[in-house]
Amino acid sequence: MTSKLKEKILIVDDAPDTLELLKRNLAGKGYEILTASNVSNAISILETEAIDLVITDLKMPGISGLDLIRHVKENFSNTEIMMITGYPTVETAVQAVKLGAEEYLTKPFTDEELFSLVDKVLLKHRMKLTKQKQVEKPHGLVHGIVGESKVMQGIFKSISKAA
């Protein structure tokens, strides 16, 4: 049994059937799923949960999915975004990508299309997080000391506790 944390996906759509279907399908793939029926609820969730991926509908009453993309990119830079829509146009696709959506999926779509794009976006997300960690702490360099052995890792823990 691994201790790997499940990646969290927030699905935002005003259609309850779509929310339920996406939630069930993605939870079946092992993801932790949260849902919101509008952008305001989605923002509340984003402020309290570390979300890896937001999947948002384009057209919703009040605040649109494009507004949500803009908000996520400005305030939650480590969260990836996918847009789904039943009203595809070249203009909205270009706008969604320019605002920060990694992928744009038109309804109706197959489970395979959804899973493929979610996997692709989350792989990019994991790679980005790994790269950030490497920049923050160069491989084998802790407290100005280079070392990777188990003994050195123990010493690094002792130094961290003492600090």
Side-chain angles (χ1 to χ4, degrees), residues 48-128:
T48 59
E49 297 279 344
I51 302 296
D52 298 299
L53 171 62
V54 172
I55 299 175
T56 183
D57 191 17
L58 170 63
K59 293 195 180 206
M60 292 180 280
I63 308 168
S64 78
L66 290 173
D67 294 320
L68 178 58
I69 292 172
R70 185 179 296 111
H71 183 81
V72 169
K73 279 301 165 190
E74 289 173 358
N75 298 284
F76 306 97
S77 60
N78 279 337
T79 301
E80 301 300 331
I81 307 164
M82 256 179 69
M83 174 160 279
I84 56 175
T85 184
Y87 305 92
T89 66
V90 172
E91 292 81 17
T92 57
V94 168
Q95 192 174 5
V97 171
K98 278 185 178 178
L99 288 172
E102 289 296 322
E103 292 293 339
Y104 184 92
L105 188 58
T106 58
K107 298 176 187 175
F109 47 82
T110 66
D111 290 347
E112 291 75 24
E113 289 170 319
L114 173 67
F115 297 148
S116 173
L117 289 181
V118 166
D119 289 346
K120 178 180 171 185
V121 171
L122 287 173
L123 175 62
K124 181 178 179 185
H125 177 68
R126 286 189 296 272
M127 290 170 61
K128 186 165 77 172

Side-chain angles (χ1 to χ4, degrees), residues 11 22-31 33 55 114-115 118:
I11 304 167
L22 292 175
K23 179 180 179 178
R24 189 173 55 241
N25 288 348
L26 291 169
K29 284 289 193 179
Y31 299 112
I33 306 299
I55 299 175
L114 173 67
F115 297 148
V118 166

